[in-house]
Amino acid sequence: MKSINSKELQKMAVAESSPLTTHVLNTSDGVPGAKMALSLHRLDTTLMIWSMISVGTTNEDGYCPGLISREAFIPGMYKLRFETGSYWEGLGKTSFYPYVE
């Protein structure tokens, strides 16, 4: 039987408490997409506009926990916006896409 270290336990706890998760991978360099800014939005169907709910930054493992609470995660249409241009610029590289939704 495999033992679970404290880092894995922390990831499991976050996953259980957050109804929405994301994981960014930098496949160009073969590493997690750390320190990427992102934002969570929900569509207001009455006004037909996207409302920003929260912002965050991916951690060293490419995860961004705690974007929304279970109580706030109501039925609807959501989108995540990843600031890919800024991410690549921070690595000294260029990007075709300034953001990805």
Side-chain angles (χ1 to χ4, degrees):
M1 187 165 145
K2 180 185 171 194
S3 65
I4 298 174
N5 65 34
S6 62
K7 193 172 184 179
E8 290 172 327
L9 282 173
Q10 183 181 21
K11 284 182 189 177
M12 290 168 56
V14 168
E16 289 178 11
S17 65
S18 181
L20 180 67
T21 62
T22 186
H23 187 201
V24 177
L25 299 173
N26 172 341
T27 58
S28 176
D29 297 329
V31 297
K35 299 179 184 173
M36 182 181 291
L38 57 96
S39 53
L40 174 64
H41 307 256
R42 181 174 40 234
L43 182 63
D44 179 327
T45 55
T46 304
L47 301 173
M48 295 308 292
I49 59 171
W50 291 99
S51 299
M52 186 183 301
I53 297 172
S54 66
V55 295
T57 304
T58 57
N59 62 20
E60 64 187 36
D61 295 321
Y63 291 97
C64 188
L67 285 171
I68 190 169
S69 68
R70 288 193 183 281
E71 297 77 29
F73 194 51
I74 60 174
M77 186 176 295
Y78 293 83
K79 72 176 177 179
L80 285 167
R81 177 182 165 122
F82 298 88
E83 301 302 331
T84 52
S86 300
Y87 170 79
W88 288 113
E89 186 178 296
L91 295 176
K93 300 179 180 182
T94 58
S95 171
F96 183 75
Y97 299 104
Y99 63 89
V100 173
E101 293 183 339

